[in-house]
Every structure is written in C-alpha cells, then in structure tokens.
C-alpha cells in the first residue's frame, strides 16, 4: 500500500533524491497517511458562484450557465447524502464523482471492513443510477461479466443475454481474486465502453463507471492487476482506517439501529441523476487549460520517466488522465479553468498506481508516494 501524501504547497522545492535512497528528502508540508490521496473536499456552499475573471495565461472566461451550476450543486449534495451511511469518506466520494464526470474508472483499495462496498452502494443510491455488483472469484468466467449467447429452444436460435457490465455503475468487488483472463474481459468495456460478443459490438449505457475494490494486505489466492489494466483506472483511492472520533460515530450509528443493508431506512434518497452527470461531464470538457498548465502536466509525467528509482513512469495516457481529473476538480470548485494547484492536488491519486519501482528501490524501502512527491516538486510551477 503506497503512502498518500498531501500535496506540496505551491513553489515547494525538493532536492533530487539519490538513486535508491531509503530516506529521500521530503517536501515541506509532506505528511504520509493522508486519507484517500486527496486534499479536503471543496468547501463551498451550494450557492457559491464560480470564480470570475481570467487568470494569467487564459483569455476571458465564458460565464457559467444556470444548468451547469445546478448540476454542480446536485453533485456536491451527493457527498452529504452518502454521509448518511458512510462516515469520514468525503474525499473518496468526491473521487468517485470525479471519475463519473471525467468518464473514467476508480480503483478503491483498503483493508477489509472500511466500507468500500457500502461507499459505492450509497453513491448509487444517492445518484439514482442503475448499479450491479459482481463478486470476483477464481472460477468467474469472462462471459459471466460481459454476457453470452444462450440457446433458446422455443425459437431454435441463440440470443444474447447481457451480463452485469451493462449498467451505469459496476461494482467489481475484490477484482484481484479472479484470474487475468477474466480481469481482461473488462478492458474493452472500460476503454471503449462497448462489449464485443460473437463478432457483434454492443454499446454500454452512459454514464458508465467501473468501481473496483481490492485488499492490499492479503495476497494468497489473488492475481495482481497487470500494469495495462491498472492504467485503465483514472483514479486509485486508498481508503484508510477512520479517525477515533469517526469510528465512535460509526458505532453510535449502529447502536442507534443503522443497518448497512437497508440504505433507504438510513434516509438515503436520490439527489441527482444520469442527466446531471451527463451535464456535468459536458461542463468539465469545457473547462479551459492554459498552454503552460498543460506543459506543467507533461513535465510532471516526464519527470517520473527519468526518476532513477522507477522502472515504469507515467505514460501519455496517464498525463491525459491527470488533465481530466484536474478539470473535474476545478469544475467542482466552481472554476472554469485549471490551475497548477488543481494538478498537484490530483497528481497522487491519478498517477501513483501507474508507477512501478525498481527492485533495488523496493529493497531499500523507497515508496512510490515519495518518488512521485519528489517528481512533482522538482517541476517548476507556472506563474
């Protein structure tokens, strides 16, 4: 499990670590264990207007439409609605929302019992979207996910029976417990948003998100996701253990009769829907990014490729993923443009799972989070 640093303050300078240094220098403000790899969720009231004016590097920003503003208010309300069932995971909810409006997929990693599955179920209940859950097991076959042709004796023909992937939100529970053959069945669905069976292509519904969970501490009987599949996930959110006061709140809710199997009894109601997600996705695609900010993203990706501690750096797909998540984070914060702080805020959750350490670095105790923090801090911030 990688450590999860908060994001260095703007302009922080970090000396370049020597190869395989088990204790590389840490940027100012670095604190391992920051839950979820995210900064705190946006602190804004539902009626807060978007930022006005055009910052350096941008032309005059167009005014936001009333529909875009309403979509943001509803999606931010989802965070509060999920909070009726899940305590202390606001950042993870925001990460899942960013995945939905950025047309990406999210990998949730955490030890058993930290409400990963409950989090996704609560999100689906608050969004009024169709959701299906697949428990990944060693004997799961690709057709169990994508669907297959079934013989109909009444018509003497084969007909297609859709699998659980034909949904808006697919919960792939314990995805690393199924063999690579079955894991690969999701590749086309995640990348192309379609499924091909018997030479015929069938489109998946929109929006479509795969929220996969995995346990980082139990390795017996598991199949680690290959880099090609990890790269398909827009974000990796690490769900940590709750703080003491949050854990006390969890117990108090259960003592008061909370049943995680009955979310309706907990008061969860839909506060947004597919139309709001599609409107938000369109608005996010209109978020402007200045050439120097785009170059900043590229320079961060290239810095990871030149790190002596990494065997695999960030690919161009990873750079475009950071662009997408930065846009989503900026839009949720009420801005129509991306700043370098947005890029730094989402760098860890977007890039860390795409990196692979050299064996020598692993033996010396170097972590992916530390290497990525140094790479981000080594790139000059555009002014």
């Amino acid at each position: 499990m990688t450590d999860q640093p908060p994001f260095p303050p703007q302009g922080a300078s970090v000396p370049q670590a020597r190869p395989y240094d088990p204790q590389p220098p840490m940027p100012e403000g670095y604190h391992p264990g920051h839950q979820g790899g995210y900064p705190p969720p946006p602190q804004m009231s539902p009626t807060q207007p978007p930022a006005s004016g055009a910052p350096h590097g941008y032309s005059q920003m167009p005014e936001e439409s009333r529909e875009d503003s309403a979509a943001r208010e509803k999606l931010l309300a989802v965070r509060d609605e999920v909070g009726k069932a899940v305590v202390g995971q606001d950042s993870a909810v925001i990460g899942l929302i960013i995945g939905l409006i950025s047309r990406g997929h999210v990998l949730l990693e955490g030890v058993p019992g930290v409400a990963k599955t409950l989090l996704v179920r609560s999100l689906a209940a608050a969004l009024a979207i169709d959701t299906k859950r697949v428990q990944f097991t060693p004997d799961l076959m690709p057709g169990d996910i994508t669907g297959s042709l079934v013989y109909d004796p009444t018509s003497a023909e084969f007909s297609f029976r859709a699998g659980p992937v034909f949904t808006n939100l697919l919960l792939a529970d314990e995805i690393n417990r199924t063999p690579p053959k079955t894991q690969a069945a999701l590749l086309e669905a995640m990348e192309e948003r379609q499924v091909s069976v018997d030479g015929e292509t069938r489109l998946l519904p929109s929006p479509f998100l795969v929220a996969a969970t995995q346990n980082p501490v139990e390795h017996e009987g598991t199949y680690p996701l290959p880099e090609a599949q990890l790269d398909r996930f827009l974000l990796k959110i690490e769900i940590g253990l709750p703080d003491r006061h949050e854990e006390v709140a969890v117990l108090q809710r259960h003592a008061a009769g909370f049943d995680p199997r009955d979310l309706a009894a907990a008061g969860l109601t839909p506060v947004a829907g597919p139309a709001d997600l599609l409107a938000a996705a369109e608005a996010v695609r209109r978020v402007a990014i200045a050439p120097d900010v785009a170059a900043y993203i590229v320079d961060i990706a290239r810095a990871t490729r030149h790190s002596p501690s990494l065997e695999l750096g960030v690919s161009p797909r990873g750079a475009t993923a950071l662009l997408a998540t930065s846009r989503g984070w900026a839009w949720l914060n009420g801005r129509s443009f991306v700043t370098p702080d947005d890029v730094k805020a989402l760098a860890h959750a977007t890039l860390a799972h795409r990196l692979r350490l050299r064996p020598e670095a692993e033996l010396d105790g170097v972590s992916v989070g530390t290497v990525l923090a140094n790479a981000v801090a080594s790139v000059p911030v555009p002014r």
Side-chain angles (χ1 to χ4, degrees), residues 191 227-233 297-306 310-323 350-356 372:
E191 187 66 21
E227 277 69 23
Q229 184 128 22
L230 284 173
D231 207 35
R232 296 306 200 279
F233 285 99
I297 294 174
V298 170
D299 289 341
I300 290 175
R302 295 178 67 85
T304 64
R305 297 171 204 162
H306 296 130
L310 292 177
E311 187 175 70
L312 180 66
V314 175
S315 67
R317 179 190 286 148
T320 58
L322 184 53
L323 167 62
T350 308
L351 303 182
H353 62 286
R354 305 171 196 271
L355 306 176
R356 186 167 66 188
L372 179 57

Side-chain angles (χ1 to χ4, degrees), residues 139-218:
D139 60 348
L140 194 70
M141 300 297 291
D144 297 331
I145 300 173
T146 59
S148 57
L149 294 176
V150 178
Y151 181 72
D152 185 359
T154 59
S155 62
E157 293 181 350
F158 285 91
S159 59
F160 178 71
R161 180 175 295 174
V165 74
F166 287 86
T167 186
N168 297 123
L169 177 57
L170 176 66
L171 172 56
D173 219 354
E174 296 187 290
I175 190 173
N176 58 334
R177 286 200 176 276
T178 199
K181 174 178 65 175
T182 306
Q183 293 174 0
L186 283 173
L187 287 176
E188 181 185 13
M190 294 172 68
E191 187 66 21
E192 307 295 336
R193 297 176 183 271
Q194 65 184 28
V195 168
S196 299
V197 177
D198 196 34
E200 184 176 348
T201 298
R202 295 170 173 85
L203 296 178
L204 297 175
S206 184
F208 173 68
L209 172 92
V210 174
T213 71
Q214 67 176 9
N215 177 358
V217 297
E218 189 175 359

